[in-house]
Amino acid sequence: MIRLPTHPTPDPIKPGEESVWDYPRPPRLEPVRQRLRVVLGGAVIAETDAGFRVLETSHPPTYYLPPGDIAGGTLVNPRRAGICEWKGQARLFDVQGGGRMVPGAAWTYPDPTPDFRVIAGYVAFYAGPMDACFVGGDPVTPQPGSFYGGWITPGIVGPFKGTPGTMGW
């Protein structure tokens, strides 16, 4: 019987890079000083200098934007979503902008656990269905798979959870 490792060997890092394998579990929340921007249908639907990111082992950062920095009418059809063991009960939204509508492409924690209280009502977007997402001037690559919503930027190295066979990491 062949036994697979419980997680892969982290990619080597260069100066100035971050490995997702150095991120903590349970996850850590930290403010983001770079401008975060989300584009859908050719329109900027969200832009802020006051975001947060969640860092969790094996995941690229997930970015949360304050609701006041999201264009009015962008988040529609709110509904109850899954429960995160660290942040609590989520609420999912369809996202519309520039004449496009993407089902289930954003989420929030209206009443998160105490460690994440500061992001109550902040919104995270799945990068994949958006036209583009940016951290600073860097375009985002979506985290692999369709379940997680991390944003991969230059300087973040994996391998990343999300592709087939990684659920046990």
Side-chain angles (χ1 to χ4, degrees), residues 15 19 22 54 77 80 97 100 111 113 118 160:
S19 171
D22 291 332
V54 173
N77 304 321
R80 187 177 172 135
R100 285 191 56 207
D111 185 27
T113 60
V118 70
F160 307 108

Side-chain angles (χ1 to χ4, degrees), residues 2-95:
I2 298 174
R3 299 196 72 163
L4 299 175
T6 56
H7 66 78
T9 302
D11 293 339
I13 62 171
K14 299 175 186 144
E17 292 182 331
E18 298 177 10
S19 171
V20 298
W21 293 96
D22 291 332
Y23 292 165
R25 188 166 176 87
R28 179 176 73 237
L29 179 68
E30 63 183 32
V32 175
R33 300 296 172 224
Q34 301 102 325
R35 179 169 291 262
L36 305 176
R37 186 166 35 114
V38 180
V39 180
L40 179 63
V44 175
I45 59 170
E47 189 166 24
T48 190
D49 292 321
F52 284 87
R53 69 181 190 160
V54 173
L55 305 178
E56 182 177 356
T57 305
S58 77
H59 296 270
T62 302
Y63 290 85
Y64 289 82
L65 291 75
D69 291 340
I70 299 169
T74 294
L75 304 173
V76 297
N77 304 321
R79 57 199 175 274
R80 187 177 172 135
I83 296 175
C84 170
E85 66 183 307
W86 311 115
K87 294 180 284 301
Q89 178 70 56
R91 177 170 290 147
L92 191 65
F93 297 97
D94 297 340
V95 178

